[in-house]
């Protein structure tokens, strides 16, 4: 028995699906971004997507195989089962190899800002080999799916055969003799007919396989994300015995049992009351019911505050469409639909998947009505943006026109959601206090089973802790409870514990206050930086991995160097300090709950007497300024005052200082959005313009990210050329205050000639940046420098002189003529040309 079989086929199928999704996303990013990306990369992406879809459909079959194995029952087809296990194992190895080759190119991490300039890292022969391997695994997965269908068909035929034999036994012996005689006479004809029927069945199965592959390709094309990840994560947190009361609730029972009319149920409650875990319980219950009988199909979606792609309206609808398309027992039914055929034609032409909200909404509507019954679960609607919520609520209303759809919505009682759903059956979790308190007791008892976390001293106080927490919880629920347990676990004496239980915080925000107050003062500044980076950075650039954040929060010492010895050694220490405010999800930090981000951005914290420094502004503009100040201070560190001489040195630099990559690749992009002057940022920009060694280091990284193979290409640039490359975008496209601040700090640059573009004044005029041009003249720009260019851009100069003349109180013709610029600007009679 292989290692994969030992831990269960289903678990490993899910693991491969997860890895295929990550590899597919990485390949897709390269396709969209890489330089000279080959056509085979797109084929590789399609194969990865097809494998992912097939494996998702294999999960129920794999679960049945695991159940049979645990029960000691032999597999119906041992050879096929063995082939499936082997293919899953090989598929995992192949996809891991793909991921490794993508991630290992140039640096262990590729930022979205420069991906479009990177080279495709995998050689062509290797790509073709990957495609062939994935296609081979796909055949095995498809065969398993068909064998499952065939097995169901065979069981049906066997049942019919058994019934026929029982009927024949009741027939008289004479009748049986006559029947055997007749059978013998027609034996040859029967054999011929059987051969023809067998051939027909083979053709039908072949057509069915082709049709299924086409549907899988369509689903892979449409699929925006792996919808099951959040469910797996939430169900893992579920404690056995909790939430069962919901299934005994009359409102829920009516919703689940309804089969002849549209059914909608809304479950709502305050933050942290366990809505998402309840959603996972419902989904798991329906999944189990679906395995026993296929009278309905299940689709679900979790909206997540910390994953923007899960809150996108098109992504939500496309996720539901993919689940509905994948669930048809008879694919020919869906394939006959004109809307599906149109989608397939678009895919075949190489077009992208649809993003129109109305179009997607109607696609869900038309596909859903083809099923006998659809059970749809939507969790976290309140975590979506308001426009997304409006679209989803409109969709819910539309689906009420179908008699075969049951929709379950779980959310907070936000005003817009309540207005739309108040006329439908609902379950208020605040009215389920008794049931939820019983679940909370189960949760605490389970928590105390972790004896490594809760020592014998805590165990002696367990019953007292349970009683005090339940009595003191008020209307607070699981999230509040989680915070109190984290706070109690940090205490070291029985006296402290007993006192804490008598002064429990009344709200979730007060609980977060206490968690921040317990952070060791030596680490408070580092934790503050982490919280800001986690929340602020994703609003202007891609999220940062854990090791990058730990580098980014490092202080700069008195010599100007980044002090990596003064940051956290690893993420574990940081998480210990933050309690249940933060968690590590794969390679990234994220807040533990939606309410943590709400707290950090609240007026409550902004006006807090002691903790206001932790406040994170919700203003995107102010966040950009805050982040740019941080980035420029980092880029100005002495560590980057000289560029690297070899690629090995550059890789070492990026390994030691991964935040350098993000700063160098993103700061100019963010700066373009800062429309008003900030004094601290202006001073840092002037410092950066004077620190050409640091500028050269950033340019070096930029050249490589643009696809240059020359590590020393930047050395061909003189300091003057390097300065020009820094000034040119500031004059051409950055907000005016940026260039003005630089020239205010270095007035000697106002009249320099920038490469072949002329003076800063000329560049401003060419780009029709009149206010900037006027400001440059006020800073000392020599207008006589533009005389030699009048013939090539007369109109721009005229427009500039009009504005400039008005600014200084002169008529532009008088001003132009007095400079001797009347030729080409004024007619001979003084009129405008």
């Amino acid at each position: 028995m292989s290692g994969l079989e030992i831990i269960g086929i289903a678990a490993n199928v899910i693991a491969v699906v997860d890895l295929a999704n990550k590899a597919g996303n990485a390949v897709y990013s390269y396709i969209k971004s890489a330089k000279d990306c080959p056509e085979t990369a797109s084929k590789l992406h399609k194969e990865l997507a097809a494998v992912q879809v097939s494996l998702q459909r294999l999960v129920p079959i794999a679960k049945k195989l695991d159940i049979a194995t645990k029960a000691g029952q032999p597999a119906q087809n041992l050879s096929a089962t063995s082939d499936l296990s082997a293919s899953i194992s090989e598929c995992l190895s192949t996809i891991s190899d793909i991921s490794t080759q993508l991630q290992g190119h140039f640096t262990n991490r590729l930022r979205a800002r420069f991906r479009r300039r990177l080279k495709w890292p995998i050689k062509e022969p290797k790509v073709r080999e990957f495609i062939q391997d994935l296609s081979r695994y796909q055949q095995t997965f498809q065969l398993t799916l068909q064998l499952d269908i065939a097995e169901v068909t065979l069981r049906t035929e066997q049942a019919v055969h058994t019934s026929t034999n029982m009927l024949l036994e009741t027939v008289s012996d004479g009748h049986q003799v006559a029947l055997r005689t007749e059978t013998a006479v027609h034996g040859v004809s029967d054999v011929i007919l059987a051969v023809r029927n067998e051939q027909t069945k083979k053709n039908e199965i072949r057509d069915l396989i082709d049709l299924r592959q086409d549907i899988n390709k369509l689903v892979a094309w449409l699929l925006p994300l792996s919808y099951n990840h959040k469910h797996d994560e939430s169900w893992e947190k579920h404690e056995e015995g909790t939430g069962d009361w919901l299934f005994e609730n009359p409102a829920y029972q009516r919703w689940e049992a309804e089969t002849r009319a549209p059914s909608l149920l809304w479950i709502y409650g305050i933050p942290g009351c366990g809505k998402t875990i309840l959603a996972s319980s419902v989904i798991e219950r329906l999944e189990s019911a679906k395995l026993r009988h296929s009278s309905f199909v299940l689709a679900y979606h979790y909206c997540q505050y910390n994953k923007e792609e899960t809150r996108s309206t098109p992504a939500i609808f496309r996720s539901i469409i993919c689940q509905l398309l994948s669930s048809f027992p008879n694919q020919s039914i869906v394939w006959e639909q004109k809307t599906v055929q149109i989608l397939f034609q678009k895919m075949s032409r190489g077009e992208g998947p649809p993003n129109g909200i109305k179009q997607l909404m109607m696609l869900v509507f038309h596909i859903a009505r083809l099923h006998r019954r659809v059970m749809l679960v939507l969790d976290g609607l309140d975590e979506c943006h308001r426009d997304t919520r409006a679209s989803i609520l409109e969709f819910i209303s539309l689906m009420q026109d179908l008699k075969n759809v049951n929709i379950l919505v779980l959310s907070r009682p936000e005003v817009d959601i309540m207005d739309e759903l108040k006329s439908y059956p609902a379950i208020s979790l605040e009215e389920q206090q008794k049931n939820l308190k019983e679940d909370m007791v189960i949760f605490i008892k389970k928590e105390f089973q972790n004896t490594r976390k809760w020592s014998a001293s805590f165990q002696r106080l367990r019953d007292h802790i349970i009683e005090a927490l339940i009595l003191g919880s008020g209307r607070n629920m699981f999230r509040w409870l989680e915070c109190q347990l984290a706070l109690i676990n940090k205490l070291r004496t029985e006296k402290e514990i007993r006192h804490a239980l008598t002064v429990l915080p009344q709200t979730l925000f007060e609980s977060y206050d206490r968690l921040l107050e317990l952070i060791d003062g030596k680490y408070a500044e580092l934790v503050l930086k982490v919280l800001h980076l986690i929340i602020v950075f994703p609003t202007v650039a891609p999220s940062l991995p854990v090791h990058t954040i730990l580098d980014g929060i490092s202080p700069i010492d008195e010599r100007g160097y980044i002090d990596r010895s003064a940051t956290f050694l690893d993420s574990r220490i940081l998480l210990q300090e933050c309690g249940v405010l933060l968690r590590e999800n794969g390679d990234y930090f994220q807040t533990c709950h939606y309410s943590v981000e709400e707290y950090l951005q609240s007026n409550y914290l902004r006006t807090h007497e002691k903790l206001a420094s932790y406040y994170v502004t919700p203003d995107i503009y102010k966040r950009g300024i805050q982040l740019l100040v941080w980035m420029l201070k980092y880029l100005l560190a002495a560590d980057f005052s000289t560029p690297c001489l070899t690629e090995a040195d550059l890789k070492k630099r990026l390994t030691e200082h991964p935040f350098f990559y993000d700063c160098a690749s993103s700061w100019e992009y963010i700066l373009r959005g800062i429309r008003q002057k900030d004094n601290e940022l202006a001073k840092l920009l002037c410092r950066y313009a004077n620190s050409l060694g640091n500028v050269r280091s950033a340019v070096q990284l930029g050249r490589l990210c643009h696809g240059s193979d020359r590590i020393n290409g930047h050395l061909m640039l003189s300091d003057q050329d390097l300065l020009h490359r820094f000034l040119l975008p500031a004059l051409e496209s950055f907000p005016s205050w940026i260039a003005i601040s630089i020239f205010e700090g270095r007035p000697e640059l106002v009249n320099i000639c920038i490469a072949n573009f002329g003076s800063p004044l000329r560049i401003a005029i060419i780009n029709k940046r009149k206010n900037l041009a006027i400001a440059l003249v006020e800073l000392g720009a020599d207008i006589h420098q533009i005389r030699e260019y009048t013939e090539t851009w007369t109109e721009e100069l005229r427009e500039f002189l009009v504005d400039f003349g008005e600014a200084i109180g002169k008529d532009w013709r008088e001003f132009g003529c007095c400079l001797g610029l009347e030729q080409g600007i004024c007619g001979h009679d003084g009129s405008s040309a």
Side-chain angles (χ1 to χ4, degrees):
M1 182 177 291
S2 71
L4 282 175
E5 290 170 320
I6 290 173
I7 63 173
I9 296 177
N12 290 287
V13 168
I14 293 171
V16 180
V17 169
D18 184 42
L19 188 59
N21 176 61
K22 291 179 180 177
N25 288 340
V27 173
Y28 181 78
S29 297
Y30 268 108
I31 291 170
K32 290 293 185 183
S33 313
K35 176 183 179 182
D36 301 327
C37 197
E39 184 180 346
T40 48
S42 296
K43 294 180 180 178
L44 178 61
H45 178 255
K46 289 178 181 177
E47 287 294 339
L48 283 167
V51 165
Q52 183 183 351
V53 171
S54 294
L55 285 172
Q56 285 175 333
R57 288 183 55 78
L58 274 175
V59 171
I61 298 172
K63 286 182 178 179
K64 288 193 289 187
L65 289 173
D66 287 341
I67 292 170
T69 302
K70 289 180 181 178
Q73 299 172 359
Q76 294 289 332
N77 192 320
L78 189 59
S79 174
T81 303
S82 178
D83 288 345
L84 176 62
S85 297
S87 292
I88 292 172
S89 178
E90 293 173 10
C91 188
L92 181 64
S93 176
T94 299
I95 297 175
S96 297
D97 194 5
I98 294 171
S99 299
T100 300
Q101 293 206 34
L102 289 174
Q103 293 173 357
H105 177 63
F106 174 54
T107 180
N108 62 338
R109 187 169 54 82
L110 303 173
R111 301 311 315 147
R113 198 62 57 204
F114 278 169
R115 277 179 179 147
R116 62 181 178 273
R117 310 178 186 103
L118 293 168
K119 289 186 176 180
W120 174 249
I122 309 177
K123 301 296 184 184
E124 190 72 6
K126 192 64 178 177
V127 178
R128 288 196 292 269
E129 181 184 332
F130 284 144
I131 292 172
Q132 291 172 0
D133 289 343
L134 292 173
S135 179
R136 178 163 49 83
Y137 307 143
Q138 177 77 336
Q139 291 175 5
T140 302
F141 301 151
Q142 290 293 331
L143 176 61
T144 304
L145 289 168
Q146 297 308 319
L147 284 173
D148 185 64
I149 295 172
E151 184 184 331
V152 174
T153 304
L154 181 60
R155 284 200 298 268
T156 304
E157 290 178 350
Q158 288 173 343
V160 172
H161 182 66
T162 301
S163 300
T164 303
N165 287 341
M166 292 174 63
L167 181 60
L168 287 174
E169 289 174 1
T170 64
V171 180
S172 66
D173 292 340
H175 186 197
Q176 292 178 30
V177 172
L179 185 60
R180 284 196 297 272
T181 303
E182 184 180 354
T183 302
V185 172
H186 297 288
V188 176
S189 298
D190 289 345
V191 170
I192 295 172
L193 183 60
V195 171
R196 289 176 178 172
N197 289 339
E198 184 65 24
Q199 185 61 42
T200 301
K201 285 184 178 179
K202 287 182 179 179
N203 291 338
E204 290 176 351
I205 290 176
R206 188 180 297 110
D207 291 342
L208 188 62
I209 291 174
D210 291 342
L211 188 57
R212 164 53 63 190
Q213 289 177 342
D214 286 342
I215 292 292
N216 285 348
K217 290 177 183 177
L218 185 60
V219 169
W221 176 67
L222 285 167
L223 192 66
L225 45 86
S226 291
Y227 55 85
N228 62 307
H229 286 176
K230 180 62 176 179
H231 172 68
D232 295 339
E233 176 188 311
S234 301
W235 180 242
E236 193 170 317
K237 295 179 181 178
H238 173 266
E239 298 296 346
E240 187 175 355
T242 61
D244 292 347
W245 54 266
L246 175 63
F247 308 130
E248 298 174 3
N249 186 290
Y252 176 86
Q253 290 176 340
R254 285 192 296 272
W255 171 80
E256 187 182 276
E258 182 58 70
T259 59
R260 297 183 179 181
S263 178
L264 188 147
L265 178 63
W266 179 34
I267 298 178
Y268 62 92
I270 62 173
C273 65
K275 297 183 292 295
T276 297
I277 305 301
L278 275 180
S280 71
S281 299
V282 172
I283 292 168
E284 201 66 21
R285 172 184 170 89
L286 295 175
E287 287 276 20
S288 299
K290 194 173 67 170
L291 288 176
R292 294 193 298 271
H293 53 82
S294 56
S295 60
F296 67 89
V297 298
L298 170 65
Y300 58 85
H301 186 84
Y302 291 85
C303 304
Q304 302 169 61
Y305 71 95
N306 54 4
K307 291 188 177 180
E308 191 62 37
E309 64 272 20
T310 68
R311 303 193 295 170
S312 158
T313 310
I316 293 171
F317 287 142
R318 281 162 48 195
S319 173
I320 295 170
I321 290 170
C322 289
Q323 294 175 69
L324 295 180
L325 281 175
S326 300
S327 302
F328 278 99
N330 185 351
Q331 295 295 324
S332 60
I333 295 177
V334 67
W335 199 249
E336 292 169 358
Q337 301 302 306
K338 185 177 180 180
T339 52
V340 176
Q341 293 175 5
I342 292 173
L343 282 179
F344 189 79
Q345 290 169 3
K346 287 185 176 181
M347 181 192 73
S348 302
R349 291 195 298 266
E351 297 181 24
N355 274 325
I357 294 174
K358 296 292 184 183
Q359 180 187 5
L360 290 168
M361 202 180 294
M362 294 310 299
L363 273 172
V364 178
F365 182 88
H366 289 305
I367 296 172
R369 69 180 181 180
L370 299 175
H371 287 282
R372 288 179 58 188
R373 190 121 209 110
V374 174
M375 309 294 283
L376 177 59
V377 180
L378 298 172
D379 176 63
L381 183 56
D382 55 286
E383 298 184 26
C384 293
H385 302 297
R386 282 195 171 272
D387 55 346
T388 298
R389 293 207 307 241
S391 297
I392 300 300
L393 291 169
E394 181 184 351
F395 161 74
I396 290 171
S397 177
L398 171 68
M399 298 302 282
Q400 297 310 296
D401 292 338
L402 295 178
K403 295 182 179 180
N404 65 325
V405 177
N406 299 37
I407 301 178
L408 175 64
V409 180
L410 300 97
S411 74
R412 300 183 190 184
E414 301 290 358
V415 174
D416 55 333
I417 301 175
M418 183 176 291
D419 287 344
E420 186 67 34
L421 302 182
K422 61 186 177 183
S423 60
Y424 294 100
I427 297 175
S428 168
L429 295 181
E430 193 165 355
E431 296 174 1
Q432 303 296 323
Q433 289 283 329
K434 181 178 181 296
N435 292 319
L436 289 170
K437 298 299 183 187
E438 291 174 356
D439 286 352
M440 289 167 70
V441 171
I442 295 174
F443 177 84
I444 301 173
K445 289 181 177 179
K446 180 68 175 180
E447 172 74 11
F448 268 85
Q449 290 179 12
N450 184 352
T451 54
R452 295 185 64 182
K453 180 178 179 181
W454 300 94
S455 64
S457 299
F458 283 113
Q459 297 293 339
R460 288 197 304 270
L461 297 170
R462 190 195 75 158
D463 292 343
H464 176 63
I465 291 172
I466 293 175
E467 181 181 3
L469 288 178
I470 298 301
L471 290 175
S473 61
R475 64 192 293 265
N476 294 294
M477 301 290 180
F478 292 93
R479 178 61 188 160
W480 178 89
L481 184 60
E482 195 176 8
C483 292
Q484 308 323 309
L485 289 171
L487 288 165
I488 291 170
N489 191 251
K490 286 177 173 285
L491 304 178
R492 294 295 174 259
T493 68
E494 181 177 339
K495 184 176 181 180
E496 287 179 321
I497 295 170
R498 290 186 178 276
H499 173 71
L501 292 172
T502 62
V503 288
L504 292 169
Q506 298 299 303
T507 66
L508 204 49
F509 278 16
E510 289 177 17
S511 302
Y512 293 150
D513 286 347
R514 296 195 185 183
L515 286 167
L516 290 179
E517 287 168 353
L518 280 177
I519 292 173
D520 191 317
K522 299 190 299 290
Y523 308 127
E525 183 66 23
L526 293 176
V527 171
L528 184 151
K529 288 183 177 181
V530 170
L531 292 171
H532 278 70
L533 268 184
I534 290 172
I535 296 174
V536 172
F537 204 89
T539 60
V540 291
S543 298
L544 298 173
V546 168
H547 69 286
T548 303
I549 286 181
L550 294 181
D551 174 51
I553 65 173
S554 302
I556 296 175
D557 64 23
E558 63 279 0
R559 299 175 303 143
Y561 287 90
I562 297 169
D563 188 359
R564 283 301 302 269
S565 67
T567 188
F568 294 109
L569 289 173
D570 55 47
S571 59
R572 180 180 54 84
I573 300 173
L574 169 63
L575 295 176
Q576 286 175 350
E577 283 299 319
C578 292
V580 290
L581 294 172
L582 292 181
R583 63 178 175 179
E584 196 169 354
N585 186 3
D587 295 332
Y588 297 88
F589 285 129
Q590 60 182 213
T591 53
C592 285
H593 195 262
Y594 188 23
S595 58
V596 177
E597 290 199 13
E598 291 180 316
Y599 166 74
L600 292 171
Q601 299 175 71
S602 66
N603 284 327
Y604 168 87
L605 185 61
R606 183 176 64 84
T607 57
H608 199 286
E609 184 178 351
K610 298 179 181 178
L611 302 171
S613 60
Y614 286 97
Y615 171 71
V616 178
T617 175
D619 187 313
I620 301 297
Y621 176 79
K622 291 180 179 178
R623 285 184 178 187
I625 294 175
Q626 180 186 39
L627 197 56
L628 278 169
V629 168
W630 198 333
M631 286 179 159
L632 284 171
K633 286 180 179 178
Y634 186 93
L635 288 173
L636 283 164
D639 305 71
F640 315 121
S641 60
T642 57
C644 299
L645 297 178
T646 66
E647 188 166 343
D649 289 340
L650 182 57
K651 287 184 177 180
K652 181 180 178 183
R653 172 174 284 180
L654 291 173
T655 300
E656 293 176 350
H657 300 293
F659 192 49
F660 175 62
Y661 186 98
D662 295 274
C663 293
S665 64
S666 300
W667 79 272
E668 288 188 21
Y669 170 80
I670 299 170
L671 186 61
R672 293 176 191 272
I674 308 301
R675 297 294 169 186
Q676 295 179 1
K677 182 177 180 179
D678 178 81
N679 291 330
E680 183 179 9
L681 184 56
K683 291 177 182 177
L684 285 169
L685 284 169
C686 290
R687 274 187 60 196
Y688 191 62
N690 286 324
S691 306
L692 292 182
N694 297 71
V695 174
R696 196 178 292 277
S697 293
V699 169
Q700 177 187 56
L701 178 62
R703 287 177 66 88
L704 286 175
C705 290
H706 276 74
S708 172
D709 292 324
R710 300 182 61 184
I711 184 71
N712 294 322
H714 66 286
L715 296 178
M716 298 172 63
L717 298 172
S718 66
D719 282 355
Q720 185 181 43
D721 289 338
L722 200 64
L723 179 62
H724 292 174
R725 289 187 59 159
F726 177 74
L727 292 175
L728 191 59
L731 289 163
E732 289 182 331
S733 57
F734 284 11
S736 298
W737 73 266
I738 296 170
I740 294 170
S741 297
I742 294 172
F743 288 116
E744 283 177 343
R746 295 195 62 181
E748 73 277 9
L749 300 178
V750 171
N751 289 306
I752 64 171
C753 180
I754 298 179
N756 297 321
F757 297 94
S759 68
L761 180 59
R762 179 176 184 265
I763 296 170
I765 295 173
I766 287 176
N767 288 279
K768 298 183 179 180
R769 309 194 68 188
K770 301 169 188 174
N771 292 334
L772 175 58
I774 293 172
L776 287 172
V777 171
E778 292 174 348
L779 286 170
D782 183 3
I783 198 168
H784 292 84
Q785 286 188 339
I786 63 177
R787 293 181 63 177
E788 60 190 281
Y789 302 108
T790 56
E791 293 182 2
T792 58
W793 39 279
T794 301
E795 182 63 23
E796 284 83 359
L797 180 60
R798 186 189 69 79
E799 291 179 3
F800 163 69
L801 291 177
V802 168
D803 283 345
F804 184 67
E806 290 177 356
I808 63 174
K810 288 189 176 184
D811 180 80
W812 74 272
R813 283 181 288 269
E814 176 189 348
F815 184 69
C817 292
C818 75
L819 287 177
L821 301 176
E822 65 274 9
Q823 294 297 323
I825 298 176
C826 303
H828 292 294
D829 60 354
S831 62
S832 60

